[in-house]
């Protein structure tokens, strides 16, 4: 943009004897198109990108690409970026700004991660950084303004002190002030703040202090010149008329970073089933994972989980009631087993979830939070937990199904705490509380995870001022399948550094190989099941189980607090839900193999492992039979094979779990032209031919020469 010399300044310029000073006095960039402001702002954005900290972590702790390469692959330093040091903000400040701006871009662009990001914290951080910049940018802009606009005449000024004095004399002369007052009166001085600011910047370049410039402004004001407030004494260094937009936000970087933010990444896959898997927004999830630069801007529990509103009262070990939002890690709460320390306070956001209340009490909870039943508190036969949505809870924490989950509804019974003892209380009313305001989606919900005891996590008591009820935490119940528990926990320990901070997608019927991260631990699992005797010994060692449980309680010594790495818990639950029974049976039977294939291409043998029947809810048939049996039918277009087995005599079954642990074979399987075999399972009372209302059909296997074990 060409320099503008105001005709009103011409008579005054004759009074300045130094040629360089005379020339810069009359040079002011045209407002609205500043060739100095644009490169200055571009340099700030370039510095922001250059400050991107950290690097991606690959499988099992290996170092991956730097985040600056991932998000800004075409980065190169912009002109004047090196001059940003004048601002006086250190590298850590810039790194923090870069992290906040990137997280803001992730919130704007992502779909899955967005639900877990702390929008208000991110925006507050970005706004705070801009406020810091606002008070420090004038010297930096002055440097760019000088280099890009005044370099030649400014370089000819030999004596800056003399030049400053002559400049002040001209600026405060009656002739100049009168000319400006006349322009203002005629409404022709429309860019007063812009012009005055650049006069003050030029005085700064000539060596004037901010205090001296404030004195000049006061002198001009005393001469009757109307000074715009934004360039008044003390305010003028913060003027950002040259910077458009006047703040630096995600909008400045998300165009370049979008590909890295949204890119799906292929994940390492050690599944015996083969195939590949990928994860959407993987770089963004990694950037905000535990131990990574953006972790503080991500909720520990994301948008899921079983939780309570912040006003819900928790029964503390000393008998006091404390709002759950005020409970801190390390405090002791009441349990039926005695005082227990809080290991983790989980704080997911509500999102669009409907909340519930019971019997008119004020505390509210999600549909999946597990309440303890009378059977659960006493050890009697029956469902140990209840929830408004038993099926959703079973999907969320599959191992709870082993203990049984019934529906929390009018007529059901849960356990309250009275005088430190468990007492049954009838549920008379369940009320829904849908989301009323969109802004409530970001409200925090709360759950407590207590330190484990005797290989399990104890229950705690919540409610309001009139009632306290026993509830369970949303954590894996490893004691329910001990062989699988020890095996999977060992594998998760091996993989925990890579899994921690990564979201584990809920498998809703996909092929196992399509669930990222989970199968990264199958390789160590396969190695571990080779020695069932050693694992059986581990199961009987209490210390081993408690040590392995520590993988779910992550300690941060710097912050003197612990956290629950929910992704690790999710990984455990995914493996336990889809392969826990298989792993438990592999070790129990001692000789089975994962993913074994028959090598004889001329004779097809289909092996079927019938492990257990697990009821996610109370069995539907009215009379719970003493024993059950299962008919298994393998069918092609041309041939049908059938067999029937009763439940095992060697494993103790219960109302909710019936153990079979049988392996049988269909020999010389006749595959049709499409290579399809269908498996049908029907449940019957032992010794009877009338099927119960339970059946299943396996996903058809397509094969030509080999069949995998099912």
């Amino acid at each position: 943009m060409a320099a503008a010399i105001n005709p009103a300044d011409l008579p005054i310029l004759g009074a300045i004897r130094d040629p360089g000073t005379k020339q810069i006095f009359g040079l002011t960039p045209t407002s609205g198109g500043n060739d100095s402001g644009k490169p200055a702002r571009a340099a700030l954005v370039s510095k922001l990108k250059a400050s991107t900290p950290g690097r991606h972590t690959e499988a099992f702790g290996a170092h991956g690409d730097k985040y600056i390469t991932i998000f800004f692959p075409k980065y190169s330093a912009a002109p004047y970026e090196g001059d940003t040091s004048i601002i006086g903000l250190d590298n850590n400040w810039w790194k923090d700004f870069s992290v906040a701006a990137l997280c803001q871009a992730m919130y704007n662009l992502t779909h899955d991660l967005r639900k877990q990001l702390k929008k208000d914290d991110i925006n507050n951080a970005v706004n705070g950084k801009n406020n810091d910049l606002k008070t420090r940018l004038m010297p930096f802009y002055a440097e760019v303004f000088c280099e890009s606009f005044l370099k030649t005449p400014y370089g000819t000024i030999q004596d800056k002190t003399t030049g400053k004095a002559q400049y002040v004399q001209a600026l405060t002369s009656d002739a100049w002030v009168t000319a400006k007052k006349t322009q203002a009166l005629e409404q022709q001085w429309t860019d007063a703040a812009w012009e005055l600011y650049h006069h003050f910047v030029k005085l700064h370049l000539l060596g004037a202090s901010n205090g001296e410039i404030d004195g000049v402004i006061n002198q001009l004001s005393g001469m009757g010149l109307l000074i715009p407030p934004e360039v008044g004494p003390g305010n003028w260094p913060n003027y950002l008329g040259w910077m458009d937009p006047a703040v630096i936000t995600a909008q400045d970087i998300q165009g370049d970073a979008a590909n890295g933010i949204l890119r799906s990444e292929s994940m390492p896959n050690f599944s015996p089933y083969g195939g590949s898997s990928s994860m959407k927004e993987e770089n963004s999830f990694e950037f905000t994972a535990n131990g990574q630069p953006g972790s503080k801007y991500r909720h520990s529990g994301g948008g899921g989980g079983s939780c309570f509103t912040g006003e819900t009262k928790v029964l503390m070990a000393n008998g006091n009631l404390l709002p759950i939002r005020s409970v801190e890690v390390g405090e002791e709460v009441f349990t039926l087993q005695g005082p227990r320390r809080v290991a983790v306070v989980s704080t997911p956001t509500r999102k669009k979830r409907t909340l519930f209340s019971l019997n008119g009490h004020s505390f509210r909870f999600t549909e999946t939070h597990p309440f303890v039943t009378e059977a659960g508190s006493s050890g009697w036969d029956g469902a140990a937990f209840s929830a408004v949505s038993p099926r959703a809870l079973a999907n969320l924490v599959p191992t709870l199904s082993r203990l049984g989950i019934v529906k929390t509804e009018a007529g059901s019974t849960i356990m309250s705490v009275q005088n430190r003892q468990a007492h049954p209380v009838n549920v008379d009313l369940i009320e829904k509380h849908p989301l009323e305001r969109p802004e409530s989606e970001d409200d925090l919900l709360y759950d407590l995870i207590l330190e484990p005891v005797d290989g399990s996590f104890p229950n705690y008591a919540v409610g309001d001022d009139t009632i306290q009820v026993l509830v369970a935490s949303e954590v894996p119940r490893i004691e329910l399948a001990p062989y699988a528990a020890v095996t999977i926990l060992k594998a998760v320990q091996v993989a925990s550094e890579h899994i921690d901070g990564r979201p584990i997608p809920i498998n809703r019927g996909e092929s196992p190989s399509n669930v990222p991260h989970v199968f990264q631990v199958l390789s160590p699992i396969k190695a571990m099941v080779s020695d069932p005797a050693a694992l059986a010994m581990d199961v009987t060692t209490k210390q081993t189980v408690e040590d392995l449980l520590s993988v779910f309680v992550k300690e941060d010594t710097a912050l003197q607090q612990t956290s629950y790495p929910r992704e690790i818990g999710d990984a455990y639950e995914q493996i336990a839900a889809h392969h826990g029974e298989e792993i438990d049976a592999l070790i129990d039977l001692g000789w089975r193999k994962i993913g074994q294939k028959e090598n004889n291409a001329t004779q097809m043998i289909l092996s079927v492992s019938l492990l257990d029947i697990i009821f996610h809810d109370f069995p539907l048939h009215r009379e719970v039979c003493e024993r059950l049996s299962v008919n298994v039918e393998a069918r092609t277009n041309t041939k049908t094979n059938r067999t029937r087995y009763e439940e095992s005599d060697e494993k103790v079954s219960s109302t909710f779990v019936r153990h079979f642990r049988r392996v049988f074979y269909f020999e010389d399987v006749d595959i049709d032209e499409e290579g399809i075999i269908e498996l049908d399972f029907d449940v019957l009372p032992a010794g009877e031919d009338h099927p119960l209302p339970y059946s299943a059909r396996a996903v058809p296997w397509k094969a030509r020469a080999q069949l995998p074990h099912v």
Side-chain angles (χ1 to χ4, degrees):
M1 184 65 63
I5 298 179
N6 196 313
D9 293 340
L10 294 177
I12 294 92
L13 294 179
I16 300 177
R17 294 181 294 279
D18 181 81
T21 305
K22 179 184 297 187
Q23 191 172 355
I24 70 169
F25 189 96
L27 291 175
T28 302
T30 303
S31 61
N34 186 358
D35 281 349
S36 298
K38 289 178 180 178
R41 193 179 189 284
L44 295 172
V45 174
S46 182
K47 175 66 174 177
L48 189 72
K49 295 177 182 178
S51 302
T52 305
R55 64 195 312 154
H56 199 290
T57 301
E58 301 300 334
F60 308 111
H63 292 301
D65 292 335
K66 292 182 178 180
Y67 284 121
I68 186 173
T69 303
I70 293 172
F71 296 119
F72 307 111
K74 297 181 180 180
Y75 162 79
S76 61
Y80 310 112
E81 182 186 314
D83 293 325
T84 55
S85 60
I86 298 172
I87 298 172
L89 296 167
D90 63 21
N91 288 336
N92 287 331
W93 185 94
W94 281 102
K95 288 177 182 178
D96 290 344
F97 192 8
S98 176
V99 169
L102 264 172
C103 288
Q104 192 176 57
M106 291 171 186
Y107 182 85
N108 293 342
L109 296 175
T110 61
H111 178 268
D112 294 342
L113 177 63
R114 175 178 179 152
K115 305 168 187 176
Q116 300 184 26
L117 293 178
K118 302 177 181 179
K119 180 182 69 172
D120 290 342
D121 289 356
I122 294 170
N123 291 339
N124 289 339
V126 171
N127 293 338
K129 295 299 183 182
N130 277 286
N131 288 335
D132 291 343
L133 274 179
K134 182 177 180 179
T135 63
R136 296 170 175 265
L137 282 178
M138 186 276 295
F140 168 67
Y141 173 71
E143 182 70 18
V144 178
F145 176 55
C146 182
E147 287 292 314
S148 62
F149 207 80
L150 307 175
K151 186 172 184 178
T152 299
Y154 181 77
T156 67
I157 302 174
Q158 299 299 317
D159 186 348
K160 300 295 191 298
T161 301
T162 300
K164 177 182 68 174
Q166 293 178 9
Y167 201 108
V168 171
Q169 184 180 3
L171 191 63
T172 57
S173 66
D174 289 337
W176 190 85
V177 172
T178 299
K180 294 303 172 185
K181 289 167 65 175
T182 300
Q183 285 184 333
L185 186 64
E186 295 174 354
Q187 298 184 344
Q188 294 181 358
W189 199 22
T190 56
D191 57 354
W194 177 265
E195 182 178 341
L196 286 170
Y197 175 74
H198 283 88
H199 279 304
F200 304 154
V201 168
K202 286 179 277 187
L203 282 174
H204 167 82
L205 290 170
L206 290 170
S209 67
N210 288 5
E212 289 178 301
I213 296 171
D214 284 346
V216 171
I217 297 172
N218 287 326
Q219 186 176 350
L220 292 172
S221 181
M223 296 173 70
L225 186 65
L226 185 63
I227 305 295
E230 60 268 33
V231 291
N235 293 335
W236 69 271
N238 303 335
Y239 177 76
L240 294 179
W242 55 270
M243 186 170 165
D244 185 23
V247 292
I248 295 175
T249 67
Q251 298 295 329
D252 293 292
I253 62 173
Q254 65 188 35
D256 292 338
N259 184 58
I261 287 173
L262 296 175
R263 188 165 59 234
S264 297
E265 295 286 356
S266 296
M267 308 308 300
N269 194 336
F270 303 105
S271 170
Y273 304 98
S276 61
S277 60
S278 64
M279 177 180 173
K280 294 189 300 181
E281 305 165 7
E282 193 275 341
N283 293 319
S284 299
F285 274 108
E286 173 70 7
F287 187 76
T288 55
N290 289 334
Q292 291 284 18
S295 61
K296 67 179 180 180
Y297 295 121
R298 180 170 156 198
H299 289 294
S300 62
S306 308
C307 300
F308 300 92
T309 53
E311 298 78 17
T312 302
K313 301 292 182 64
V314 176
L315 181 59
M316 307 302 290
N318 60 8
N320 293 336
L321 296 178
L322 190 65
I324 194 169
R325 64 167 177 264
S326 301
V327 176
E328 297 181 357
V329 169
E331 292 189 280
E332 290 189 335
V333 302
F334 168 84
T335 77
L336 293 177
Q337 295 79 30
R340 290 291 178 268
R341 288 196 336 136
V342 175
V344 178
V345 179
S346 180
T347 56
T349 50
R350 176 177 179 176
K351 298 307 177 187
K352 299 182 181 297
R353 287 181 288 177
T354 295
L355 298 179
F356 297 84
S357 62
L358 57 84
N359 292 357
H361 294 293
S362 61
F363 70 97
R364 298 182 180 183
F365 48 89
T366 58
E367 65 174 1
T368 56
H369 203 97
F371 290 86
V372 179
T373 66
E374 190 167 10
S377 68
S378 63
W380 299 343
D381 188 26
F385 302 105
S386 75
V388 171
S389 177
R391 177 66 63 180
L393 175 57
N395 290 338
L396 189 65
V397 191
T399 49
L400 293 185
S401 298
R402 286 285 200 99
L403 298 177
I405 309 170
V406 294
K407 187 174 181 61
T408 306
E409 58 186 346
S412 62
T413 301
I414 58 176
M415 299 305 290
S416 66
V417 175
Q418 303 173 28
N419 298 321
R420 297 184 173 267
Q421 299 293 322
H423 294 272
V425 59
N426 293 328
V427 176
D428 300 319
L429 175 68
I430 294 289
E431 294 181 278
K432 288 185 176 182
H433 304 279
L435 186 73
E436 296 178 351
R437 297 173 290 111
E439 56 267 29
S440 297
E441 290 187 34
D442 294 322
D443 290 349
L444 293 182
L445 302 178
Y446 298 83
D447 189 15
L448 304 182
I449 299 171
L450 311 185
E451 290 184 339
V453 58
D454 296 330
S456 183
F457 291 93
N459 305 320
Y460 63 103
V462 302
D464 55 20
D465 291 327
T466 61
I467 192 173
Q468 296 289 302
V469 296
L470 281 176
V471 296
S473 303
E474 178 208 327
V475 287
R477 305 303 293 260
I478 73 163
E479 74 277 16
L480 302 179
Y483 289 127
V486 172
T487 306
I488 297 171
L489 280 170
K490 282 187 172 181
V492 169
Q493 274 193 327
V494 173
S496 62
E497 186 173 351
H498 183 55
I499 294 174
D500 192 12
R502 305 289 193 86
I504 305 298
I506 298 298
N507 188 330
R508 302 191 185 282
E510 309 97 317
S511 167
S513 62
N514 291 333
V515 184
H517 305 301
V518 170
F519 283 92
Q520 294 171 12
V521 299
L522 273 183
S523 185
I525 283 177
K526 290 172 70 176
M528 290 172 188
V529 298
S530 63
D531 189 358
L535 281 168
M537 185 177 297
D538 277 344
V539 171
T540 62
T541 305
K542 174 182 174 183
Q543 189 60 42
T544 299
V545 176
E546 292 188 350
D547 287 345
L548 292 172
L549 275 170
S550 66
V551 74
F552 296 109
V553 181
K554 182 174 182 177
E555 296 186 4
D556 189 329
T557 54
L559 298 177
Q560 295 185 330
Q561 65 181 35
T562 56
S563 61
Y564 173 55
R566 184 171 298 279
E567 294 81 5
I568 294 178
D570 289 346
Y572 177 93
E573 288 292 355
Q574 285 287 329
I575 299 169
H578 299 286
H579 296 278
E581 300 297 341
E582 180 182 9
I583 293 168
D584 210 43
L586 287 172
I587 302 167
D588 192 19
L589 297 175
W591 51 270
R592 299 284 288 150
K593 304 293 184 184
I594 295 178
Q596 180 180 348
K597 298 180 179 180
E598 301 295 337
N599 294 320
N600 186 346
T602 61
Q603 182 181 14
M604 303 308 300
I605 299 177
L606 174 65
S607 64
V608 178
S609 301
L610 180 59
L611 303 179
D612 304 297
I613 298 176
I614 299 177
F615 298 96
H616 292 296
D617 204 339
F618 210 92
L620 297 176
H621 50 287
R622 290 183 177 275
E623 296 182 4
V624 180
C625 305
E626 291 295 324
R627 292 173 61 81
L628 296 180
S629 62
V630 174
N631 276 347
V632 183
E633 181 178 284
R635 183 177 62 255
T636 68
N637 287 339
T638 60
K639 186 175 182 179
T640 299
N641 290 312
R642 298 183 180 88
T643 190
R644 178 169 176 170
Y645 274 103
E646 294 187 4
E647 59 185 277
S648 172
D649 293 322
E650 299 176 359
K651 308 290 289 186
V652 179
S653 295
S654 69
T655 302
F656 295 93
V657 181
R658 299 301 181 96
H659 299 290
F660 285 79
R661 301 294 168 92
R662 304 283 187 177
V663 181
F664 49 92
Y665 299 91
F666 294 108
E667 296 185 4
D668 195 18
V669 176
D670 184 12
I671 301 178
D672 61 24
E673 292 182 357
E674 295 182 354
I676 295 178
I677 299 175
E678 294 185 354
L679 291 173
D680 288 317
F681 299 85
D682 291 300
V683 181
L684 306 91
E688 297 185 19
D689 294 326
H690 302 291
L692 295 171
Y694 315 109
S695 62
R697 172 168 292 181
V699 176
W701 287 98
K702 293 187 177 182
R704 291 294 179 185
Q706 296 178 333
L707 284 176
H709 283 291
V710 177

